[in-house]
Structure formats: C-alpha cells, structure tokens
Amino acid sequence: MRRLTKQQRSGEATPQPELLTNRTHHVGDVRGDKLARDSRTTRQFILTIDHQLERHYQFKNLKTQEIQEFSRFVAETVGKALTITQVDARFLRTKGPRGVGASETIDGARVTMVHYGRDRSPFRLFGYYDAAGYFVIHRLDPRHQYHRE
C-alpha cells in the first residue's frame, strides 16, 4: 500500500518535476538541440509525401532490394511507433558536405533538410519536417549518390 504525502492528502497540486534534456552534447551537434527545441521527444515519427520526389531519386528508380531497404526503414520507425527523437538517435546522419541543417529551397519555401540511414547501409532517405511535425520525403537515395555528385 502506498502512503499519501501531506500535499496529496490536503488536495494541493504536487509540483511537477522539471523536464530534463540531453544537454551533454558537443558544441555544434544538432542532435542535442532538438530535444530542447520542441516536442520531438513525445511526437510520433510520421512519414509523408507532399510533392513530386526529386528527379533521379524516386520510387521508379529503385531496384527490388532497395525497395526492401525502404520497407525495412518504415518497419523500424513507423512500424514500431518511434518518436522523432528515437528515430534521430538511431538513423540521423550528421556527416557530409550537405549534412544535418543544410538548407534547400523546395517549391519556393526554404526548408532544413535532414537525412536518415543506417551506418553500414548506403540507403539514405532525405527530407524535412513540415509545420505539422511530419517528415516529408524529398529524395530516396538507395546508393548514397547524392553527396557524391
């Protein structure tokens, strides 16, 4: 049996603990800033396609094995109902000339592009977060060719 505190017995509001974030990141590391910036720690990761995918990086350009890689990514993220922070921790790519935080213009709007992929797998998924917090797919890069161009 759990004992009630004096505050709980009197009906007073119990002070809520302060939310802590991972602020032990290195200076310039974008991953830690995301935790403090918004509700990524609780918001579910959702994929969407809002516009035509970039030329040469579309579904029609994928081979069977590459479609399976995309399907595996969906199963490991959306299929497991991961949060944005969990997806970032497992799949966010930070290296490269156009790494995290690269800005691109898409349909006349300036967006911050991010890309996801496994360490050893060349498959990369490029996109950005819209105002609703959905990850908008912009480019499917199964052979990691985008940064080599």
Side-chain angles (χ1 to χ4, degrees):
M1 178 182 249
R2 207 174 125 211
R3 292 184 146 183
L4 296 176
T5 64
K6 208 180 239 186
Q7 279 184 324
Q8 290 170 328
R9 282 192 298 253
S10 67
E12 293 177 29
T14 310
Q16 295 297 318
E18 184 179 334
L19 289 177
L20 300 176
T21 59
N22 180 8
R23 300 301 292 175
T24 60
H25 66 280
H26 294 82
V27 175
D29 185 2
V30 182
R31 291 187 205 198
D33 291 338
K34 289 181 182 175
L35 291 172
R37 230 185 354 214
D38 55 26
S39 61
R40 291 172 180 262
T41 57
T42 57
R43 183 173 287 176
Q44 187 174 350
F45 180 77
I46 299 173
L47 291 171
T48 184
I49 298 174
D50 287 352
H51 52 77
Q52 179 75 26
L53 298 180
E54 188 174 315
R55 188 172 172 230
H56 301 298
Y57 298 99
Q58 301 175 352
F59 284 101
K60 69 181 182 180
N61 303 105
L62 298 180
K63 296 176 183 167
T64 304
Q65 182 181 0
E66 296 161 350
I67 293 171
Q68 290 171 346
E69 281 286 322
F70 176 72
S71 181
R72 191 173 302 122
F73 177 81
V74 172
E76 291 178 10
T77 57
V78 177
K80 291 184 178 179
L82 296 181
T83 65
I84 294 172
T85 301
Q86 290 170 324
V87 172
D88 283 352
R90 295 178 189 185
F91 299 101
L92 184 66
R93 310 306 303 153
T94 58
K95 304 259 193 282
R98 296 176 234 173
V100 168
S103 186
E104 293 185 28
T105 302
I106 298 171
D107 294 335
R110 204 80 177 139
V111 297
T112 301
M113 193 65 63
V114 296
H115 66 287
Y116 293 113
R118 284 268 188 213
D119 289 333
R120 303 275 184 227
S121 169
F123 184 85
R124 298 291 188 262
L125 184 67
F126 288 78
Y128 58 93
Y129 286 93
D130 65 7
Y134 297 161
F135 182 76
V136 179
I137 299 172
H138 179 67
R139 182 183 307 120
L140 298 168
D141 188 1
R143 292 172 291 283
H144 201 196
Q145 296 296 310
Y146 184 70
H147 284 151
R148 294 183 187 142
E149 293 177 345

mmCIF file of all heavy atoms in Angstrom, residues 67-107:
data_model
loop_
_atom_site.group_PDB
_atom_site.id
_atom_site.type_symbol
_atom_site.label_atom_id
_atom_site.label_comp_id
_atom_site.label_asym_id
_atom_site.label_seq_id
_atom_site.Cartn_x
_atom_site.Cartn_y
_atom_site.Cartn_z
ATOM 1 N N ILE A 67 13.914 -1.248 -52.589
ATOM 2 C CA ILE A 67 12.550 -1.097 -52.074
ATOM 3 C C ILE A 67 12.435 -1.818 -50.738
ATOM 4 O O ILE A 67 11.796 -1.327 -49.806
ATOM 5 C CB ILE A 67 11.518 -1.625 -53.088
ATOM 6 C CG1 ILE A 67 11.511 -0.723 -54.325
ATOM 7 C CG2 ILE A 67 10.123 -1.717 -52.479
ATOM 8 C CD1 ILE A 67 10.710 -1.241 -55.486
ATOM 9 N N GLN A 68 13.092 -2.958 -50.635
ATOM 10 C CA GLN A 68 13.097 -3.699 -49.375
ATOM 11 C C GLN A 68 13.805 -2.910 -48.281
ATOM 12 O O GLN A 68 13.391 -2.938 -47.112
ATOM 13 C CB GLN A 68 13.739 -5.069 -49.566
ATOM 14 C CG GLN A 68 12.895 -6.007 -50.395
ATOM 15 C CD GLN A 68 13.621 -7.288 -50.776
ATOM 16 O OE1 GLN A 68 14.841 -7.391 -50.638
ATOM 17 N NE2 GLN A 68 12.873 -8.261 -51.276
ATOM 18 N N GLU A 69 14.870 -2.196 -48.628
ATOM 19 C CA GLU A 69 15.575 -1.341 -47.656
ATOM 20 C C GLU A 69 14.645 -0.243 -47.145
ATOM 21 O O GLU A 69 14.602 0.039 -45.951
ATOM 22 C CB GLU A 69 16.815 -0.697 -48.296
ATOM 23 C CG GLU A 69 18.005 -1.606 -48.390
ATOM 24 C CD GLU A 69 18.663 -1.831 -47.050
ATOM 25 O OE1 GLU A 69 18.754 -0.901 -46.226
ATOM 26 O OE2 GLU A 69 19.090 -2.968 -46.821
ATOM 27 N N PHE A 70 13.900 0.380 -48.049
ATOM 28 C CA PHE A 70 12.939 1.420 -47.657
ATOM 29 C C PHE A 70 11.862 0.811 -46.759
ATOM 30 O O PHE A 70 11.510 1.382 -45.729
ATOM 31 C CB PHE A 70 12.305 2.075 -48.888
ATOM 32 C CG PHE A 70 11.240 3.076 -48.541
ATOM 33 C CD1 PHE A 70 11.575 4.297 -47.980
ATOM 34 C CD2 PHE A 70 9.900 2.796 -48.769
ATOM 35 C CE1 PHE A 70 10.596 5.225 -47.645
ATOM 36 C CE2 PHE A 70 8.915 3.709 -48.441
ATOM 37 C CZ PHE A 70 9.264 4.920 -47.873
ATOM 38 N N SER A 71 11.360 -0.350 -47.140
ATOM 39 C CA SER A 71 10.341 -1.037 -46.353
ATOM 40 C C SER A 71 10.863 -1.367 -44.957
ATOM 41 O O SER A 71 10.149 -1.232 -43.958
ATOM 42 C CB SER A 71 9.903 -2.306 -47.077
ATOM 43 O OG SER A 71 8.918 -2.966 -46.349
ATOM 44 N N ARG A 72 12.112 -1.773 -44.866
ATOM 45 C CA ARG A 72 12.738 -2.079 -43.568
ATOM 46 C C ARG A 72 12.820 -0.817 -42.710
ATOM 47 O O ARG A 72 12.550 -0.848 -41.506
ATOM 48 C CB ARG A 72 14.124 -2.671 -43.786
ATOM 49 C CG ARG A 72 14.741 -3.264 -42.542
ATOM 50 C CD ARG A 72 16.051 -3.990 -42.812
ATOM 51 N NE ARG A 72 15.875 -5.055 -43.790
ATOM 52 C CZ ARG A 72 16.547 -5.133 -44.947
ATOM 53 N NH1 ARG A 72 17.463 -4.244 -45.258
ATOM 54 N NH2 ARG A 72 16.322 -6.122 -45.785
ATOM 55 N N PHE A 73 13.166 0.314 -43.328
ATOM 56 C CA PHE A 73 13.220 1.589 -42.600
ATOM 57 C C PHE A 73 11.837 1.935 -42.049
ATOM 58 O O PHE A 73 11.703 2.328 -40.885
ATOM 59 C CB PHE A 73 13.732 2.712 -43.511
ATOM 60 C CG PHE A 73 13.739 4.059 -42.846
ATOM 61 C CD1 PHE A 73 14.772 4.427 -42.008
ATOM 62 C CD2 PHE A 73 12.695 4.952 -43.042
ATOM 63 C CE1 PHE A 73 14.777 5.671 -41.382
ATOM 64 C CE2 PHE A 73 12.683 6.185 -42.424
ATOM 65 C CZ PHE A 73 13.729 6.548 -41.591
ATOM 66 N N VAL A 74 10.801 1.793 -42.870
ATOM 67 C CA VAL A 74 9.433 2.083 -42.426
ATOM 68 C C VAL A 74 9.041 1.163 -41.275
ATOM 69 O O VAL A 74 8.475 1.605 -40.268
ATOM 70 C CB VAL A 74 8.427 1.969 -43.600
ATOM 71 C CG1 VAL A 74 6.997 2.072 -43.110
ATOM 72 C CG2 VAL A 74 8.712 3.044 -44.642
ATOM 73 N N ALA A 75 9.363 -0.114 -41.387
ATOM 74 C CA ALA A 75 9.031 -1.078 -40.336
ATOM 75 C C ALA A 75 9.751 -0.752 -39.026
ATOM 76 O O ALA A 75 9.183 -0.902 -37.937
ATOM 77 C CB ALA A 75 9.386 -2.491 -40.787
ATOM 78 N N GLU A 76 11.000 -0.280 -39.109
ATOM 79 C CA GLU A 76 11.792 0.009 -37.917
ATOM 80 C C GLU A 76 11.478 1.365 -37.300
ATOM 81 O O GLU A 76 11.919 1.647 -36.187
ATOM 82 C CB GLU A 76 13.280 -0.070 -38.249
ATOM 83 C CG GLU A 76 13.758 -1.470 -38.555
ATOM 84 C CD GLU A 76 15.229 -1.525 -38.927
ATOM 85 O OE1 GLU A 76 15.938 -0.501 -38.777
ATOM 86 O OE2 GLU A 76 15.677 -2.586 -39.373
ATOM 87 N N THR A 77 10.745 2.209 -37.992
ATOM 88 C CA THR A 77 10.418 3.542 -37.469
ATOM 89 C C THR A 77 8.921 3.686 -37.241
ATOM 90 O O THR A 77 8.456 3.631 -36.112
ATOM 91 C CB THR A 77 10.923 4.640 -38.423
ATOM 92 O OG1 THR A 77 10.363 4.434 -39.722
ATOM 93 C CG2 THR A 77 12.427 4.650 -38.497
ATOM 94 N N VAL A 78 8.182 3.820 -38.315
ATOM 95 C CA VAL A 78 6.731 3.982 -38.221
ATOM 96 C C VAL A 78 6.090 2.723 -37.659
ATOM 97 O O VAL A 78 5.193 2.789 -36.822
ATOM 98 C CB VAL A 78 6.129 4.335 -39.607
ATOM 99 C CG1 VAL A 78 4.624 4.444 -39.530
ATOM 100 C CG2 VAL A 78 6.746 5.621 -40.136
ATOM 101 N N GLY A 79 6.561 1.573 -38.100
ATOM 102 C CA GLY A 79 6.016 0.296 -37.643
ATOM 103 C C GLY A 79 6.176 0.061 -36.157
ATOM 104 O O GLY A 79 5.391 -0.651 -35.536
ATOM 105 N N LYS A 80 7.199 0.649 -35.553
ATOM 106 C CA LYS A 80 7.434 0.498 -34.113
ATOM 107 C C LYS A 80 6.956 1.715 -33.322
ATOM 108 O O LYS A 80 7.231 1.825 -32.134
ATOM 109 C CB LYS A 80 8.919 0.259 -33.849
ATOM 110 C CG LYS A 80 9.391 -1.085 -34.353
ATOM 111 C CD LYS A 80 10.831 -1.333 -34.000
ATOM 112 C CE LYS A 80 11.261 -2.708 -34.486
ATOM 113 N NZ LYS A 80 12.666 -2.974 -34.181
ATOM 114 N N ALA A 81 6.279 2.656 -34.018
ATOM 115 C CA ALA A 81 5.734 3.868 -33.387
ATOM 116 C C ALA A 81 6.802 4.638 -32.610
ATOM 117 O O ALA A 81 6.573 5.112 -31.506
ATOM 118 C CB ALA A 81 4.553 3.518 -32.486
ATOM 119 N N LEU A 82 7.987 4.784 -33.212
ATOM 120 C CA LEU A 82 9.068 5.527 -32.570
ATOM 121 C C LEU A 82 8.762 7.022 -32.572
ATOM 122 O O LEU A 82 8.047 7.529 -33.433
ATOM 123 C CB LEU A 82 10.381 5.293 -33.306
ATOM 124 C CG LEU A 82 10.935 3.876 -33.326
ATOM 125 C CD1 LEU A 82 12.265 3.837 -34.078
ATOM 126 C CD2 LEU A 82 11.110 3.329 -31.925
ATOM 127 N N THR A 83 9.350 7.728 -31.617
ATOM 128 C CA THR A 83 9.246 9.184 -31.602
ATOM 129 C C THR A 83 10.312 9.757 -32.527
ATOM 130 O O THR A 83 11.234 9.053 -32.952
ATOM 131 C CB THR A 83 9.467 9.746 -30.186
ATOM 132 O OG1 THR A 83 10.809 9.469 -29.781
ATOM 133 C CG2 THR A 83 8.473 9.169 -29.192
ATOM 134 N N ILE A 84 10.210 11.031 -32.811
ATOM 135 C CA ILE A 84 11.185 11.692 -33.679
ATOM 136 C C ILE A 84 12.577 11.599 -33.053
ATOM 137 O O ILE A 84 13.557 11.329 -33.742
ATOM 138 C CB ILE A 84 10.780 13.157 -33.940
ATOM 139 C CG1 ILE A 84 9.487 13.187 -34.750
ATOM 140 C CG2 ILE A 84 11.896 13.901 -34.668
ATOM 141 C CD1 ILE A 84 8.882 14.570 -34.909
ATOM 142 N N THR A 85 12.661 11.793 -31.758
ATOM 143 C CA THR A 85 13.954 11.721 -31.074
ATOM 144 C C THR A 85 14.561 10.329 -31.185
ATOM 145 O O THR A 85 15.765 10.188 -31.399
ATOM 146 C CB THR A 85 13.802 12.104 -29.591
ATOM 147 O OG1 THR A 85 13.275 13.425 -29.521
ATOM 148 C CG2 THR A 85 15.130 12.065 -28.863
ATOM 149 N N GLN A 86 13.744 9.294 -31.052
ATOM 150 C CA GLN A 86 14.252 7.927 -31.176
ATOM 151 C C GLN A 86 14.747 7.648 -32.590
ATOM 152 O O GLN A 86 15.788 7.018 -32.777
ATOM 153 C CB GLN A 86 13.158 6.927 -30.798
ATOM 154 C CG GLN A 86 12.825 6.930 -29.327
ATOM 155 C CD GLN A 86 11.584 6.115 -29.017
ATOM 156 O OE1 GLN A 86 10.625 6.087 -29.782
ATOM 157 N NE2 GLN A 86 11.600 5.441 -27.874
ATOM 158 N N VAL A 87 14.021 8.139 -33.593
ATOM 159 C CA VAL A 87 14.448 7.960 -34.981
ATOM 160 C C VAL A 87 15.754 8.718 -35.223
ATOM 161 O O VAL A 87 16.680 8.201 -35.847
ATOM 162 C CB VAL A 87 13.346 8.417 -35.967
ATOM 163 C CG1 VAL A 87 13.859 8.404 -37.398
ATOM 164 C CG2 VAL A 87 12.126 7.523 -35.844
ATOM 165 N N ASP A 88 15.849 9.936 -34.705
ATOM 166 C CA ASP A 88 17.083 10.717 -34.839
ATOM 167 C C ASP A 88 18.266 9.977 -34.215
ATOM 168 O O ASP A 88 19.347 9.925 -34.789
ATOM 169 C CB ASP A 88 16.936 12.083 -34.184
ATOM 170 C CG ASP A 88 16.134 13.072 -35.014
ATOM 171 O OD1 ASP A 88 15.794 12.771 -36.173
ATOM 172 O OD2 ASP A 88 15.864 14.166 -34.483
ATOM 173 N N ALA A 89 18.060 9.415 -33.038
ATOM 174 C CA ALA A 89 19.152 8.723 -32.347
ATOM 175 C C ALA A 89 19.630 7.497 -33.124
ATOM 176 O O ALA A 89 20.817 7.196 -33.132
ATOM 177 C CB ALA A 89 18.704 8.312 -30.946
ATOM 178 N N ARG A 90 18.732 6.808 -33.796
ATOM 179 C CA ARG A 90 19.088 5.576 -34.496
ATOM 180 C C ARG A 90 19.520 5.781 -35.943
ATOM 181 O O ARG A 90 20.347 5.029 -36.449
ATOM 182 C CB ARG A 90 17.902 4.612 -34.491
ATOM 183 C CG ARG A 90 17.543 4.138 -33.114
ATOM 184 C CD ARG A 90 16.357 3.230 -33.138
ATOM 185 N NE ARG A 90 15.917 2.972 -31.773
ATOM 186 C CZ ARG A 90 14.960 2.149 -31.455
ATOM 187 N NH1 ARG A 90 14.324 1.487 -32.396
ATOM 188 N NH2 ARG A 90 14.628 1.980 -30.199
ATOM 189 N N PHE A 91 18.959 6.776 -36.624
ATOM 190 C CA PHE A 91 19.152 6.870 -38.067
ATOM 191 C C PHE A 91 19.702 8.206 -38.588
ATOM 192 O O PHE A 91 20.102 8.273 -39.741
ATOM 193 C CB PHE A 91 17.816 6.606 -38.794
ATOM 194 C CG PHE A 91 17.252 5.255 -38.542
ATOM 195 C CD1 PHE A 91 16.222 5.078 -37.627
ATOM 196 C CD2 PHE A 91 17.739 4.142 -39.202
ATOM 197 C CE1 PHE A 91 15.688 3.823 -37.390
ATOM 198 C CE2 PHE A 91 17.219 2.884 -38.972
ATOM 199 C CZ PHE A 91 16.188 2.726 -38.062
ATOM 200 N N LEU A 92 19.702 9.256 -37.788
ATOM 201 C CA LEU A 92 20.096 10.572 -38.294
ATOM 202 C C LEU A 92 21.554 10.585 -38.732
ATOM 203 O O LEU A 92 22.444 10.152 -37.990
ATOM 204 C CB LEU A 92 19.878 11.645 -37.240
ATOM 205 C CG LEU A 92 20.167 13.076 -37.677
ATOM 206 C CD1 LEU A 92 19.172 13.517 -38.748
ATOM 207 C CD2 LEU A 92 20.096 14.018 -36.478
ATOM 208 N N ARG A 93 21.813 11.065 -39.930
ATOM 209 C CA ARG A 93 23.168 11.181 -40.471
ATOM 210 C C ARG A 93 23.621 12.627 -40.284
ATOM 211 O O ARG A 93 22.899 13.556 -40.637
ATOM 212 C CB ARG A 93 23.201 10.818 -41.960
ATOM 213 C CG ARG A 93 22.535 9.496 -42.315
ATOM 214 C CD ARG A 93 23.049 8.308 -41.534
ATOM 215 N NE ARG A 93 24.466 8.160 -41.691
ATOM 216 C CZ ARG A 93 25.256 7.594 -40.795
ATOM 217 N NH1 ARG A 93 24.768 7.126 -39.682
ATOM 218 N NH2 ARG A 93 26.532 7.500 -41.010
ATOM 219 N N THR A 94 24.806 12.811 -39.735
ATOM 220 C CA THR A 94 25.279 14.159 -39.432
ATOM 221 C C THR A 94 26.507 14.567 -40.227
ATOM 222 O O THR A 94 26.881 15.731 -40.223
ATOM 223 C CB THR A 94 25.619 14.280 -37.934
ATOM 224 O OG1 THR A 94 26.600 13.293 -37.612
ATOM 225 C CG2 THR A 94 24.385 14.055 -37.084
ATOM 226 N N LYS A 95 27.129 13.636 -40.877
ATOM 227 C CA LYS A 95 28.370 13.940 -41.610
ATOM 228 C C LYS A 95 28.063 14.291 -43.060
ATOM 229 O O LYS A 95 26.985 14.063 -43.565
ATOM 230 C CB LYS A 95 29.286 12.720 -41.580
ATOM 231 C CG LYS A 95 29.613 12.232 -40.188
ATOM 232 C CD LYS A 95 30.957 12.681 -39.777
ATOM 233 C CE LYS A 95 31.477 12.001 -38.565
ATOM 234 N NZ LYS A 95 31.088 12.307 -37.307
ATOM 235 N N GLY A 96 29.052 14.828 -43.733
ATOM 236 C CA GLY A 96 28.921 15.113 -45.159
ATOM 237 C C GLY A 96 28.804 16.600 -45.436
ATOM 238 O O GLY A 96 28.469 17.389 -44.553
ATOM 239 N N PRO A 97 29.062 17.001 -46.677
ATOM 240 C CA PRO A 97 29.033 18.415 -47.040
ATOM 241 C C PRO A 97 27.640 19.021 -46.944
ATOM 242 O O PRO A 97 27.487 20.202 -46.724
ATOM 243 C CB PRO A 97 29.529 18.427 -48.485
ATOM 244 C CG PRO A 97 29.282 17.050 -48.989
ATOM 245 C CD PRO A 97 29.399 16.146 -47.797
ATOM 246 N N ARG A 98 26.629 18.195 -47.116
ATOM 247 C CA ARG A 98 25.250 18.681 -47.001
ATOM 248 C C ARG A 98 24.560 17.903 -45.891
ATOM 249 O O ARG A 98 23.479 17.368 -46.073
ATOM 250 C CB ARG A 98 24.510 18.490 -48.318
ATOM 251 C CG ARG A 98 25.111 19.306 -49.439
ATOM 252 C CD ARG A 98 24.403 19.018 -50.731
ATOM 253 N NE ARG A 98 25.412 18.629 -51.712
ATOM 254 C CZ ARG A 98 25.145 18.192 -52.903
ATOM 255 N NH1 ARG A 98 23.918 18.066 -53.306
ATOM 256 N NH2 ARG A 98 26.105 17.879 -53.739
ATOM 257 N N GLY A 99 25.187 17.859 -44.743
ATOM 258 C CA GLY A 99 24.676 17.078 -43.623
ATOM 259 C C GLY A 99 23.502 17.745 -42.942
ATOM 260 O O GLY A 99 22.768 18.523 -43.533
ATOM 261 N N VAL A 100 23.315 17.458 -41.677
ATOM 262 C CA VAL A 100 22.193 17.993 -40.913
ATOM 263 C C VAL A 100 22.212 19.510 -40.928
ATOM 264 O O VAL A 100 23.246 20.138 -40.790
ATOM 265 C CB VAL A 100 22.262 17.487 -39.457
ATOM 266 C CG1 VAL A 100 21.297 18.236 -38.569
ATOM 267 C CG2 VAL A 100 21.955 16.016 -39.421
ATOM 268 N N GLY A 101 21.065 20.082 -41.128
ATOM 269 C CA GLY A 101 20.943 21.532 -41.109
ATOM 270 C C GLY A 101 21.154 22.193 -42.444
ATOM 271 O O GLY A 101 21.064 23.404 -42.546
ATOM 272 N N ALA A 102 21.423 21.416 -43.485
ATOM 273 C CA ALA A 102 21.577 22.007 -44.815
ATOM 274 C C ALA A 102 20.239 22.589 -45.246
ATOM 275 O O ALA A 102 19.196 21.968 -45.083
ATOM 276 C CB ALA A 102 22.041 20.947 -45.808
ATOM 277 N N SER A 103 20.272 23.768 -45.786
ATOM 278 C CA SER A 103 19.050 24.450 -46.186
ATOM 279 C C SER A 103 18.860 24.335 -47.692
ATOM 280 O O SER A 103 19.810 24.510 -48.451
ATOM 281 C CB SER A 103 19.147 25.918 -45.761
ATOM 282 O OG SER A 103 17.944 26.571 -46.006
ATOM 283 N N GLU A 104 17.637 24.004 -48.120
ATOM 284 C CA GLU A 104 17.317 23.894 -49.539
ATOM 285 C C GLU A 104 15.994 24.593 -49.803
ATOM 286 O O GLU A 104 15.170 24.731 -48.897
ATOM 287 C CB GLU A 104 17.199 22.428 -49.961
ATOM 288 C CG GLU A 104 18.495 21.661 -49.906
ATOM 289 C CD GLU A 104 18.366 20.244 -50.455
ATOM 290 O OE1 GLU A 104 17.502 20.020 -51.331
ATOM 291 O OE2 GLU A 104 19.128 19.377 -50.009
ATOM 292 N N THR A 105 15.787 25.012 -51.039
ATOM 293 C CA THR A 105 14.527 25.613 -51.434
ATOM 294 C C THR A 105 13.699 24.575 -52.174
ATOM 295 O O THR A 105 14.132 24.027 -53.181
ATOM 296 C CB THR A 105 14.760 26.846 -52.339
ATOM 297 O OG1 THR A 105 15.581 27.782 -51.626
ATOM 298 C CG2 THR A 105 13.448 27.500 -52.709
ATOM 299 N N ILE A 106 12.498 24.314 -51.665
ATOM 300 C CA ILE A 106 11.599 23.332 -52.259
ATOM 301 C C ILE A 106 10.248 24.005 -52.457
ATOM 302 O O ILE A 106 9.647 24.500 -51.493
ATOM 303 C CB ILE A 106 11.462 22.085 -51.366
ATOM 304 C CG1 ILE A 106 12.837 21.421 -51.220
ATOM 305 C CG2 ILE A 106 10.443 21.121 -51.942
ATOM 306 C CD1 ILE A 106 12.893 20.327 -50.223
ATOM 307 N N ASP A 107 9.777 24.027 -53.689
ATOM 308 C CA ASP A 107 8.509 24.676 -54.033
ATOM 309 C C ASP A 107 8.456 26.116 -53.516
ATOM 310 O O ASP A 107 7.442 26.574 -53.003
ATOM 311 C CB ASP A 107 7.316 23.871 -53.490
ATOM 312 C CG ASP A 107 7.172 22.522 -54.154
ATOM 313 O OD1 ASP A 107 7.633 22.380 -55.307
ATOM 314 O OD2 ASP A 107 6.596 21.615 -53.532
#
